[in-house]
Amino acid sequence: MQTIEQISNLRGEINLWRQQGLKIAFVPTMGNLHQGHIALVEKAKLVADKVVASIFVNPMQFGATEDIGNYPRTMAADQEKLLTAGCDLLFTPTPAIIYPKGLDQQSYVEVPNVSQYYCGESRPGHFRGVTTVVCKLFNLVQPDIACFGLKDYQQVQVIQTMVEDLSMPIEIIAVETVRETSGLALSSRNNYLNKAEKNIAPALSQNLKWLAQAIRSNNDFVGLAQKAASNINIAGMKTDYIHICHARTLQPASIDDKELVILAAAHCGKARLIDNLRVTLA
Ligand code: PAF
């Protein structure tokens, strides 16, 4: 596996593959890789001839109060994991390479509606940062396919919308969330949990399951979501939001909707955890 920092070298390698007619799948990440990321690489390998991953801790998607300096950086261990998973090329640009004019002078991509609510509301500017960097990375890597984890369900919908709205010739593949046996979704943020918080954190996925079951026989979606939020708080977390939504538009679900997703975020100690569960009603 090659690790490439410079855009010109990346383009050179990608051009060689394109000339050979090879299909390229891309897995963008911010590093600190866990089994959830490796599942993306494994999926990418199944659907393409070459797999490109990127590690870039994107300053544009961090809010003013979020400490990008503390974001875990584990490059050597990440390279080892990607190599073992069969990744062909790792792109590791610096912020100066991605944003040579600085963040203030950078053109941006913003997706309306799906990026406005939930995490978009709790983290203003976050999705603008995500779509801008993903658009830029797509233009650099020019993949046929890109793989994203469903743990970040809203992010997947935002990126899918960007690709459709801007006619990008890229297939987005969403890969199932990888969980610990406790049900806790794997996330780099789990590193912030101490032992006691690690025991509390599974209450998030447990209450998603409870809610998914409850809405099968009761269409008081708002009342049931409030009850789940209160259960999560009683367990020792602080619920940011929990909403039952239409699975594609992410609008609050109506009682006629059948394909739903429950989206939730909760603070557990220093970590802000997100999770979701899709539900198909009969
Ligand atoms: O999901 C992430 O790790 C990031 O939001 C992404 C897609 C790599 C963009 O920086």
Side-chain angles (χ1 to χ4, degrees):
M1 180 184 77
Q2 297 185 66
T3 298
I4 293 181
E5 188 187 83
Q6 298 299 325
I7 288 176
S8 54
N9 296 342
L10 173 75
R11 286 202 195 278
E13 197 60 32
I14 300 279
N15 283 343
L16 287 179
W17 290 346
R18 288 248 160 260
Q19 281 159 19
Q20 294 167 49
L22 298 175
K23 198 173 201 178
I24 299 170
F26 179 42
V27 179
T29 81
M30 299 210 297
N32 193 229
L33 304 182
H34 51 65
Q35 202 45 46
H37 297 107
I38 299 308
L40 302 181
V41 175
E42 286 168 356
K43 179 67 186 181
K45 274 194 81 65
L46 290 177
V47 294
D49 303 306
K50 293 285 180 189
V51 177
V52 178
S54 63
I55 295 181
F56 177 63
V57 183
N58 174 30
M60 205 183 197
Q61 69 188 76
F62 286 78
T65 57
E66 298 171 348
D67 188 2
I68 186 175
N70 260 343
Y71 196 85
R73 287 161 170 88
T74 50
M75 186 60 84
D78 292 348
Q79 282 173 310
E80 196 60 43
K81 287 177 189 168
L82 289 170
L83 180 69
T84 307
C87 178
D88 297 286
L89 191 158
L90 171 62
F91 180 46
T92 56
T94 60
I97 288 173
I98 294 293
Y99 302 119
K101 294 188 279 185
L103 291 185
D104 291 347
Q105 298 302 315
Q106 173 66 43
S107 306
Y108 59 81
V109 179
E110 196 161 66
V111 171
N113 299 321
V114 275
S115 64
Q116 263 158 20
Y117 313 104
Y118 321 124
C119 282
E121 210 168 323
S122 303
R123 304 180 69 193
H126 169 69
F127 284 122
R128 177 199 283 193
V130 170
T131 40
T132 299
V133 82
V134 170
C135 175
K136 186 142 185 165
L137 291 168
F138 280 178
N139 285 333
L140 295 171
V141 175
Q142 300 198 343
D144 301 285
I145 295 165
C147 298
F148 292 87
L150 275 167
K151 202 260 299 165
D152 297 295
Y153 190 92
Q154 189 176 7
Q155 172 171 278
V156 173
Q157 301 311 316
V158 169
I159 289 168
Q160 181 66 54
T161 305
M162 172 184 79
V163 163
E164 285 169 19
D165 287 358
L166 301 181
S167 307
M168 296 176 169
I170 300 171
E171 182 190 350
I172 301 299
I173 297 186
V175 178
E176 265 322 317
T177 304
V178 180
R179 296 177 184 277
E180 296 192 355
T181 42
S182 66
L184 177 65
L186 295 197
S187 164
S188 304
R189 286 151 186 260
N190 296 353
N191 290 332
Y192 299 130
L193 300 172
N194 65 28
K195 205 158 169 242
E197 290 158 356
K198 199 89 197 272
N199 288 331
I200 294 170
L204 184 58
S205 64
Q206 284 157 10
N207 277 286
L208 288 177
K209 276 193 185 162
W210 173 82
L211 189 51
Q213 200 50 42
I215 60 176
R216 291 186 187 282
S217 55
N218 181 345
N219 62 19
D220 176 14
F221 292 165
V222 173
L224 289 170
Q226 277 168 358
K227 172 81 179 116
S230 148
N231 291 344
I232 292 166
N233 294 343
I234 289 166
M237 283 187 267
K238 189 169 176 296
T239 305
D240 179 355
Y241 63 77
I242 180 157
H243 293 292
I244 301 162
C245 312
H246 184 281
R248 180 63 186 96
T249 64
L250 305 190
Q251 291 297 311
S254 78
I255 53 171
D256 297 325
D257 291 334
K258 299 291 174 223
E259 295 298 329
L260 310 179
V261 63
I262 309 171
L263 299 177
H267 296 270
C268 189
K270 280 189 292 202
R272 181 177 175 279
L273 305 178
I274 59 172
D275 203 348
N276 65 82
L277 193 58
R278 274 155 298 141
V279 188
T280 303
L281 295 182

